Amino acid sequence: MPMVRGRYGDGMQELRLFAIGINDVRDIFGADAPLAARLRDSAARHFAAPPHPRSLLSKLGPVFSRHPQSEVDPQNPLRSDVDALLAGGHIPVERLVQCWQVLLAWLGDLSAQSLDITLDGLEALEFDLALAGLPSDFSVRRLASRELGTPLRPLPHQVVGYSKHQHVVETYTELRQVHDDAGPGFATTMHAIEPLMGLLGGIAARPAAMLDLVVVQIPG
């Protein structure tokens, strides 16, 4: 199955992984009142504007005064981005980067566990894992093989996807076996996948929660 909504290259990959149910992710878009209030508070904490020191001009009276709280930097997430995400409506292409910043912050708050990983050369890593005996159905790239099914589109070439709980469990089992059986020639590769195995193992150990795994490439 090809990677959907994006592609992996062979260079540096910065990925953020979240242990969260896919329905909880989809509920963000068109959120009910309690969830929307919680997420608005989250966005306010993550993206609060830095305080501005009072300038000399501001002391000269209202004619020269500036109101920093009314000044916005459109390169940062705006309240309109939060509103659009919570409404589940159309996200303009020029606001995709900022909306992904907001969604990543929300996923971090809502997930049971998260992990940031940097993979230097995914193709080489996957090749070594295959040589060590990992079936292709449980490759690292397959962890993002399902579409999120949300209105927020990925950026060009951005990796975005998820794995269902059962696939996470099976991938963890296969990776654990390969890790334990690998010879010394695979030491570097096995060390590289240990943080990922820790996250997958945490999801597998909580079957009652039925957590899925969401994978998002960090936008540059």
Side-chain angles (χ1 to χ4, degrees):
M1 180 181 296
M3 174 61 59
V4 296
R5 295 192 152 206
R7 62 178 175 82
Y8 281 113
D10 195 33
M12 194 77 72
Q13 299 287 331
E14 295 183 74
L15 304 175
R16 190 162 295 169
L17 294 83
F18 303 93
I20 184 172
I22 187 60
N23 288 334
D24 292 330
V25 178
R26 293 168 180 167
D27 285 347
I28 291 172
F29 302 86
D32 60 22
L35 178 59
R38 177 182 176 185
L39 295 177
R40 289 186 191 281
D41 287 344
S42 170
R45 291 195 312 273
H46 284 285
F47 304 107
H52 290 256
R54 288 177 59 82
S55 66
L56 176 61
L57 288 178
S58 69
K59 299 177 182 178
L60 297 179
V63 173
F64 296 99
S65 64
R66 298 169 66 238
H67 301 280
Q69 62 268 36
S70 67
E71 298 172 5
V72 297
D73 181 354
Q75 298 305 309
N76 295 326
L78 304 176
R79 181 176 297 178
S80 57
D81 298 323
V82 172
D83 292 342
L85 289 169
L86 293 177
H90 172 70
I91 306 297
V93 65
E94 64 272 14
R95 302 305 300 172
L96 285 178
V97 170
Q98 292 79 11
C99 285
W100 272 110
Q101 291 172 353
V102 175
L103 183 61
L104 285 168
W106 286 346
L107 293 177
D109 286 351
L110 296 174
S111 62
Q113 187 179 352
S114 63
L115 172 69
D116 291 355
I117 60 174
T118 299
L119 299 176
D120 186 4
L122 182 63
E123 297 292 342
L125 177 73
E126 296 275 45
F127 182 75
D128 281 351
L129 289 172
L131 284 180
L134 184 69
S136 60
D137 285 347
F138 305 107
S139 65
V140 175
R141 70 183 63 244
R142 288 297 298 271
L143 291 171
S145 63
R146 291 178 174 271
E147 294 189 25
L148 294 187
T150 69
L152 182 59
R153 294 165 294 165
L155 296 161
H157 306 310
Q158 182 187 21
V159 175
V160 178
Y162 84 100
S163 285
K164 289 186 176 181
H165 179 87
Q166 186 59 37
H167 183 72
V168 173
V169 173
E170 293 170 354
T171 301
Y172 171 71
T173 300
E174 295 289 341
L175 279 175
R176 180 86 261 171
Q177 188 67 47
V178 168
H179 181 277
D180 292 347
D181 293 345
F186 294 103
T188 299
T189 298
M190 297 307 132
H191 177 72
I193 65 169
E194 285 173 357
L196 174 60
M197 289 175 55
L199 178 62
L200 301 184
I203 294 174
R206 300 177 61 173
M210 288 303 292
L211 297 171
D212 303 307
L213 177 71
V214 170
V215 181
V216 179
Q217 184 177 9
I218 301 172

